[in-house]
Structures are given as C-alpha cells and as structure tokens.
Amino acid sequence: MDKQQIQRCGDELYNAMLDRVAVRPLTERFSGITIEDAYNISMRMLERRLAAGEHIIGKKIGVTSKAVQDMLNVHQPDFGYLTNTMAFNQGEEMPISQMLMQPRAEGEIAFILKKDLMGPGVTNADVLAATDCVMPCFEVVDSRIEDWKIKIQDTVADNASCGLFILGDQAVSPTKVDLATCGMVVEKNGSVISTGAGAAALGSPVNCVAWLANTLGQFGIPLKAGEVILSGSLVPLVPVKAGDHMSLSIGGMGNASVRFV
C-alpha cells in the first residue's frame, strides 16, 4: 500500500469509530495489505485520536489465547495503544451503547509498570522487576470492521480492536501470585459463563508482556513507567449489551465488575 492509501484507511477507521458505522474488511479491498501496512494504518488512526486531545496511557496485547484465536480465526498476537478515553474505574458504568458498536468483553490481567521496558532482550524476570502491581481487568473490545470479519491485518489496522477497559478493586505485587496458574471465574448477569487460568495467555501473562516489549523494541518503542499493559484474555470473548452486568474473580488477585449502559 502507498502512503495515501494508508492515510485514507486510517482516517476511515477513525471516522468509523466516531460515527459508530463499521466498514468493509480491509483485506477484502486491498489484497496485498501486509501486517506492516496494517500497523502504519493503526498509527494514522492513533495520530487522529491524539490530535483530538487524547493521550496514551498504556498498551494492550491482543489475540493471545487459543480460545480467542479460534473464535476470531486469527492465530498470532497483535498490539494496540490505550488512551485516556478508554479507561473506566471499578464501580463506574460503561457507556458501550454510546461509544462502541460491536462490543465483546474479556477477562484479563493488567500490569501497571514502575520502570520502562525496552526490547529486544526483555526477559520474564525483567517484566516482573519492572511491574509495580497486577490487577484484574475487563477489556471490552470493539471492531470497526463489519461483523467482526477480520484477518490479522484488519484487527492490527484497527488498533488491535481496542474498545474500553475497567480495572478491578485490588492491586497486588506480581510476586505474590502465580500468574501462570491463577484461576479466573467470569460471571454474566449472575451466571458463571467461563473459567480460565493465566496459562491461557501464551503460557503466562508475563510471556505476553515480554513479547510486547520485545516486539515494540524492534520499532524503538518502549513500555513506559506508569503505563497500563493489558496482557490478553484468559477466557473467550462474550458479546455484551446495555443492561448486562459482568464480574470476574482471579485467585489471589481480587475482583472486577462492570455494568454496561
């Protein structure tokens, strides 16, 4: 793709987000689109958000669990940027009916960094040393692509299908919980709908953060102290709508809950 096509696609996805009107998959319209093209499109989309007054508060890893990979038919991780308009606090209502168009919720572990991480060469020990705390988290992903008909290039271009997220009610040291074996239980409207464990995300959420630091390091981009890093879902994605309530608990880490409006 040339620079003009990349800019037009980034602008199209940004406007789709604002207007809440999904667009045809990019992979149907640009047969030669590469993952590098897709990341350049996502950067154009991010530029538009920053120009509108948003600021970056973290990053996310997407498509890390086999359950999510199989559901979306996307079989490698990706990453996106988190901005201040995406973040909600425990107890707040999340206005998905006003901000999103095809929302799906997933339970994750969020890492809050106290030191920068810059690849290549970042190890799991480096990740743990740079992490201030971990927290339960709901990420509510969204796609600006019609009917979630995405290939890896589509979701990458769409900022890894970022939507909104909410952090839980506790923060614990990453050394106080076994992040590979900790169990997650997710409820929707009072019924248990899924269970998972830390190992569902590339063997451990720590592996995910190390992967992200090393992947971004290839582009000279650090994970920064103070940033929120969403490490990937431990359970399948669940469609949600206004009126739904979801909660999750993670052994040794606490709870998160969200009510959608």
Side-chain angles (χ1 to χ4, degrees):
M1 297 179 72
D2 61 34
K3 289 183 178 180
Q4 287 187 332
Q5 288 174 318
I6 285 168
Q7 181 170 317
R8 284 199 301 269
C9 288
D11 290 343
E12 179 186 38
L13 288 169
Y14 177 74
N15 291 326
M17 179 191 72
L18 292 183
D19 298 336
R20 296 178 60 245
V21 177
V23 302
R24 282 181 59 213
L26 302 184
T27 49
E28 290 183 1
R29 292 181 281 152
F30 302 95
S31 59
I33 185 172
T34 65
I35 291 179
E36 182 179 357
D37 292 332
Y39 277 121
N40 286 328
I41 291 168
S42 75
M43 290 305 298
R44 173 60 181 178
M45 190 182 182
L46 178 65
E47 288 171 4
R48 292 293 303 274
R49 298 185 77 136
L50 299 181
E54 299 181 44
H55 60 270
I56 295 170
I57 61 169
K59 302 174 179 78
K60 66 156 280 185
I61 307 109
V63 204
T64 54
S65 74
K66 188 176 188 303
V68 173
Q69 289 179 353
D70 290 345
M71 181 178 292
L72 299 179
N73 197 30
V74 172
H75 298 286
Q76 66 187 85
D78 64 357
F79 65 85
Y81 290 86
L82 306 176
T83 74
N84 57 302
T85 63
M86 301 177 185
F88 288 79
N89 296 316
Q90 177 84 352
E92 286 187 286
E93 294 180 331
M94 184 179 283
I96 58 172
S97 60
Q98 301 171 34
M99 298 182 70
L100 306 180
M101 56 184 117
Q102 303 181 94
R104 296 180 176 185
E106 53 188 3
E108 305 194 16
I109 295 173
F111 288 64
I112 313 300
L113 300 184
K114 60 183 178 182
K115 298 177 182 177
D116 291 0
L117 277 173
M118 181 75 172
V122 170
T123 66
N124 283 14
D126 295 329
V127 170
L128 293 174
T131 300
D132 181 44
C133 62
V134 290
M135 303 177 72
C137 171
F138 271 114
E139 183 185 3
V140 185
V141 294
D142 195 23
S143 181
R144 273 59 67 172
I145 304 298
E146 291 176 344
D147 301 321
W148 279 93
K149 293 179 180 176
I150 59 172
K151 295 182 179 178
I152 183 65
Q153 296 95 324
D154 295 298
T155 186
V156 164
D158 193 22
N159 194 31
S161 304
C162 280
L164 308 172
F165 70 93
I166 193 162
L167 298 177
D169 59 2
Q170 294 183 49
V172 301
S173 167
T175 62
K176 299 296 184 183
V177 59
D178 187 328
L179 291 167
T181 63
C182 62
M184 173 184 287
V185 178
V186 180
E187 296 186 10
K188 180 181 178 183
N189 300 328
S191 299
V192 174
I193 59 168
S194 60
T195 60
L202 298 183
S204 168
V206 184
N207 293 335
C208 298
V209 179
W211 174 88
L212 181 63
N214 289 321
T215 299
L216 288 180
Q218 298 173 30
F219 303 98
I221 301 170
L223 305 184
K224 296 181 180 179
E227 285 190 333
V228 180
I229 309 298
L230 304 187
S231 61
S233 184
L234 308 184
V235 291
L237 301 175
V238 180
V240 290
K241 63 184 185 303
D244 287 338
H245 176 268
M246 293 190 70
S247 62
L248 64 80
S249 62
I250 302 176
M253 199 179 302
N255 308 291
S257 63
V258 58
R259 185 173 298 279
F260 302 110
V261 295

